[in-house]
Amino acid sequence: MSELSAEEILAAAEASERGGNLVFCVGSVLRGDDAAGPLLAKRLEDDPIEGWNAVDGGQTPENELGYLRRIAPRRLLLVDAAAMGLEPGSLRRLTSDDVATQSLITTHTLPITYLLSELEQMCGEVVFVGIQPASTEFFDPVDPRVLAGVEQLYDTIKSGADFEQFPRIAE
């Protein structure tokens, strides 16, 4: 019986995830409600949902693009805090155009429009859901309404992943 190399093990793990459903969570755990994405990733890690994997892209989600390109998810849900002028914890579906034309604020090094463009090239379907933060100041606690929004999104994934229930920001 031969031992598998680390590369072979990694390739096998990626092959098992290829073409599936993925939640790509973005945000900084140090910036208050910007932790919404990473909190959803942690929730999915602690209580996995069959048919869905999660990747925590943290503050530099572009670093995960190579991995995402290799597994080529059929369906990808991108989750990030987005200042949309709504009640904290509100969930909205967003597009690249929304982000570009509405000047939605994110806290990341590269524009979210770049990330969305790359994801749309490698995935069959990309849905971007923004969670309205109350504060993204360093070391602020996460607002309970944002935590409720994270839980609502988790429940939506668990109950069939109908993201159409969340209105578009422009609606």
Side-chain angles (χ1 to χ4, degrees):
M1 181 170 147
S2 66
E3 301 259 338
L4 293 175
S5 70
E7 291 81 14
E8 291 169 322
I9 293 170
L10 180 61
E14 288 178 356
S16 72
E17 296 173 357
R18 194 167 294 125
N21 299 312
L22 184 89
V23 181
F24 187 35
C25 303
V26 178
S28 170
V29 296
L30 299 177
R31 295 183 66 117
D33 297 331
D34 194 40
L39 288 171
L40 180 59
K42 178 75 170 118
R43 178 79 166 92
L44 288 161
E45 179 185 312
D46 291 347
D47 193 5
I49 297 173
E50 186 175 339
W52 287 87
N53 291 308
V55 171
D56 183 354
Q59 298 178 83
T60 53
E62 60 275 8
N63 291 347
E64 300 296 333
L65 289 176
Y67 169 73
L68 295 176
R69 197 170 279 112
R70 287 190 306 274
I71 65 167
R74 180 185 58 76
R75 188 174 192 202
L76 183 139
L77 171 65
L78 175 65
V79 178
D80 192 9
M84 302 173 283
L86 303 169
E87 187 69 25
S90 297
L91 304 171
R92 293 293 184 273
R93 285 180 295 123
L94 303 168
T95 66
S96 304
D97 290 340
D98 295 329
V99 176
T101 61
Q102 307 235 357
S103 301
L104 300 178
I105 299 168
T106 65
T107 58
H108 311 294
T109 53
L110 286 177
I112 202 79
T113 51
Y114 169 80
L115 183 64
L116 279 168
S117 172
E118 291 294 310
L119 294 172
E120 288 166 351
Q121 290 177 33
M122 67 180 81
C123 302
E125 175 189 0
V126 176
V127 177
F128 177 16
V129 173
I131 300 177
Q132 173 66 50
S135 171
T136 56
E137 294 297 316
F138 278 104
F139 308 115
D140 273 0
V142 178
D143 188 285
R145 296 168 293 182
V146 172
L147 291 173
V150 168
E151 193 61 25
Q152 181 184 2
L153 196 45
Y154 174 87
D155 290 342
T156 298
I157 297 165
K158 191 170 187 170
S159 66
D162 175 16
F163 306 116
E164 295 291 316
Q165 69 178 291
F166 304 121
R168 293 255 336 265
I169 186 66
E171 292 177 350

